[in-house]
Amino acid sequence: LAKTTQPISMDSYEGQEVNITCSHNNIATNDYITWYQQFPSQGPRFIIQGYKTKVTNEVASLFIPADRKSSTLSLPRVSLSDTAVYYCLVGDGKMTGGFKTIFGAGTRLFVKA
Amino acid sequence: DAGITQSPRHKVTETGTPVTLRCHQTENHRYMYWYRQDPGHGLRLIHYSYGVKDTDKGEVSDGYSVSRSKTEDFLLTLESATSSQTSVYFCAIRVRSGRDTGELFFGEGSRLTVL
């Protein structure tokens, strides 16, 4: 399993763009990069997934450089409701049993008014 | 809504008693997971299943056992609950989509307090 490293916490203000970077130096060829968001007292929910270059959906963008050793989740124009914990996960499950999904500590994003 | 429910949602029990948490899905997804989350911490994988009767350990499996006798149910059992197992337990299912690895959908969580 590729280990991921991301900042413990970040602060931002409403309306700003927030970029959270995740390092995954040991990413394997078959690994995808997936980001989840978790609000207090709720389970995480999927935000975005990518393999290379850039992926964009209605919520966020995911930037992956050519070497894939890191990735950046970009949240455009954050609001107070984006205050949450964001998790970066790497893997594809091609191992015994498959899809052993490990969450790290995540990044606590606090958006201020 | 991925059709995943957990029960019970809240439980208070005493040290040494057995506890079983149930995760039920309605869509026949192959992969199911149990995580625990303690205040101020991320999720830690307890056990997961990749099919009926196919389960494997996660990061923190000591003191927990699981069973999956049918696709729709994944049970987590604490044979003899301890105070250190007081936590919020989340079940998740993996929903595959296209060529990627799919995504996890989580239940609403089961809050367990061991006195």
Side-chain angles (χ1 to χ4, degrees):
Chain A
L1 290 170
K3 178 179 170 59
T4 60
T5 302
Q6 47 184 128
I8 294 174
S9 65
M10 296 180 66
D11 289 342
S12 182
Y13 288 93
E14 282 189 293
Q16 290 188 331
E17 178 184 74
V18 171
N19 296 309
I20 306 175
T21 297
C22 179
S23 297
H24 28 79
N25 292 319
N26 296 322
I27 190 168
T29 302
N30 294 327
D31 286 345
Y32 280 76
I33 301 155
T34 311
W35 286 79
Y36 287 84
Q37 174 192 55
Q38 185 181 26
F39 298 115
S41 301
Q42 296 183 24
R45 67 170 188 168
F46 173 89
I47 300 177
I48 198 166
Q49 184 178 84
Y51 183 80
K52 61 181 179 180
T53 63
K54 177 184 175 182
V55 179
T56 298
N57 61 23
E58 65 278 6
V59 176
S61 294
L62 178 59
F63 298 92
I64 306 168
D67 66 6
R68 304 199 328 121
K69 293 183 182 299
S70 67
S71 58
T72 299
L73 174 72
S74 181
L75 304 172
R77 297 180 299 281
V78 295
S79 63
L80 297 177
S81 63
D82 291 315
T83 293
V85 179
Y86 293 82
Y87 298 95
C88 165
L89 283 74
V90 172
D92 85 325
K94 286 208 178 353
M95 59 197 75
T96 301
F99 291 120
K100 183 175 183 178
T101 305
I102 303 292
F103 283 75
T107 297
R108 293 183 175 275
L109 173 65
F110 185 69
V111 180
K112 296 179 274 191
Chain B
D1 183 3
I4 179 172
T5 56
Q6 294 183 226
S7 59
R9 295 288 314 283
H10 301 272
K11 186 172 181 65
V12 180
T13 191
E14 294 186 349
T15 297
T17 60
V19 176
T20 295
L21 304 180
R22 179 184 184 230
C23 180
H24 178 78
Q25 60 151 325
T26 59
E27 299 181 356
N28 291 324
H29 295 292
R30 181 179 176 189
Y31 297 93
M32 299 184 75
Y33 303 78
W34 277 108
Y35 293 88
R36 64 175 288 175
Q37 186 168 39
D38 302 303
H41 291 80
L43 286 87
R44 290 184 289 173
L45 179 64
I46 305 172
H47 282 278
Y48 67 106
S49 170
Y50 47 98
V52 173
K53 298 185 179 175
D54 290 324
T55 64
D56 205 350
K57 296 179 179 180
E59 306 168 271
V60 289
S61 57
D62 288 348
Y64 301 95
S65 63
V66 290
S67 66
R68 189 150 177 221
S69 59
K70 47 187 179 178
T71 301
E72 58 265 36
D73 288 328
F74 191 31
L75 304 180
L76 177 70
T77 297
L78 292 65
E79 300 291 346
S80 178
T82 67
S83 58
S84 65
Q85 294 175 311
T86 292
S87 188
V88 178
Y89 292 86
F90 287 102
C91 175
I93 56 175
R94 179 175 292 278
V95 178
R96 296 294 299 275
S97 55
R99 296 170 54 219
D100 60 27
T101 67
E103 60 187 87
L104 296 184
F105 282 92
F106 284 80
E108 295 182 327
S110 296
R111 183 175 296 275
L112 175 67
T113 301
V114 183
L115 302 176

